[in-house]
Amino acid sequence: MASESVPSFRAHYRATEISAHYTGWGHFALTSTVCLGTVAFALTRLTAPTAIEWLTVPATFLLANLVEYWGHRGPMHHRTGPKKVYERHTLQHHRFFTHESMAYEGSRDFKMVLFPPVLLGFFLGAIAAPIGALLFVLATPNIAWLYVATAMGYFLTYEWLHFAYHLPASSPLARLPGLAFLRRHHTLHHDPAQMGKANFNITFPVADLLFGTRR
Ligand SMILES: [Zn+2]
Ligand SMILES: [Zn+2]
């Protein structure tokens, strides 16, 4: 699979997978607006949360970090999970971008980084909403809304950070504090020799540290 060069893979992908109607900035704006809108709405529902209820934020963060790690280390890099997930990540994302060619060449290339809108709908409708509803009934409304706000905030952080890792190194955004470290972490994961072994966290390498896969 490593036989095809990045330029020829990119040319083929752009010609066959990116529709003429696709706009990268529209995709970016949709993801950002839906997530920020959900976080803002959830925060307006809070009524004086207690210290215990605020613990929902770090607990959800940690859980999301583990889900990100295992989702990426598992189905995104193994054929054992859903076929589409493996295809899109290992066979497309990792061939479109390698450690030597990490940057977009135009906004239409955002398609190869941001989750498709249908998956955004899945995260919202099949993960955030039902677990939030369950917490609403089994725990407290504050815990439910803090969970929804943190989960959607985490998802958007994932999207924004991953988006920033694939910006050209000359971009002012790429030079934000802390971002250089995270960009290096993800760039190493894009080395075809390392992608199945190291740096599976896309956001903060907490689970990589826990499981000894940080390089
Ligand atoms: Zn990437
Ligand atoms: Zn990967």
Side-chain angles (χ1 to χ4, degrees):
M1 75 167 244
S3 52
E4 191 178 14
S5 74
V6 169
S8 79
F9 181 81
R10 286 185 174 191
H12 178 76
Y13 184 87
R14 288 179 189 130
T16 57
E17 304 282 333
I18 306 181
S19 108
H21 305 294
Y22 177 80
T23 79
W25 287 114
H27 190 178
F28 183 87
L30 177 78
T31 299
S32 303
T33 310
V34 169
C35 292
L36 287 175
T38 308
V39 171
F41 178 76
L43 293 180
T44 63
R45 302 290 99 188
L46 294 176
T47 38
T50 63
I52 296 284
E53 287 174 328
W54 278 114
L55 287 180
T56 308
V57 175
T60 305
F61 172 89
L62 199 63
L63 181 71
N65 197 271
L66 291 171
V67 168
E68 166 193 312
Y69 180 88
W70 285 113
H72 187 189
R73 187 174 177 177
M76 286 163 92
H77 276 286
H78 289 92
R79 288 178 193 275
T80 46
K83 199 168 156 253
K84 272 251 170 260
V85 171
Y86 174 81
E87 266 177 20
R88 187 176 149 81
H89 187 74
T90 301
L91 302 184
Q92 296 179 347
H93 183 69
H94 274 280
R95 287 161 87 187
F96 202 99
F97 302 103
T98 70
H99 60 309
E100 286 162 340
S101 315
M102 283 291 280
Y104 311 112
E105 290 173 303
S107 59
R108 289 170 61 76
D109 291 351
F110 299 173
K111 173 115 195 255
M112 200 59 273
V113 171
L114 299 170
F115 281 111
V118 60
L119 268 179
L120 172 64
F122 173 80
F123 280 114
L124 197 61
I127 297 181
I131 297 178
L134 212 62
L135 288 171
F136 201 91
V137 177
L138 299 179
T140 69
N142 276 340
I143 288 179
W145 290 117
L146 283 170
Y147 162 77
V148 170
T150 313
M152 289 313 287
Y154 191 98
F155 178 82
L156 185 60
T157 304
Y158 177 110
E159 289 287 71
W160 279 355
L161 284 174
H162 195 200
F163 176 83
Y165 304 156
H166 291 286
L167 285 169
S170 58
S171 158
L173 266 179
R175 280 172 276 156
L176 285 176
L179 206 59
F181 162 79
L182 293 174
R183 274 168 67 97
R184 277 198 304 278
H185 178 83
H186 190 62
T187 300
L188 185 135
H189 173 73
H190 269 276
D191 178 346
Q194 295 293 333
M195 69 174 181
K197 298 179 197 162
N199 295 6
F200 295 105
N201 275 123
I202 308 284
T203 60
F204 312 101
V206 178
D208 270 315
L209 276 173
L210 276 176
F211 297 108
T213 48
R214 207 189 100 63
R215 302 276 150 78

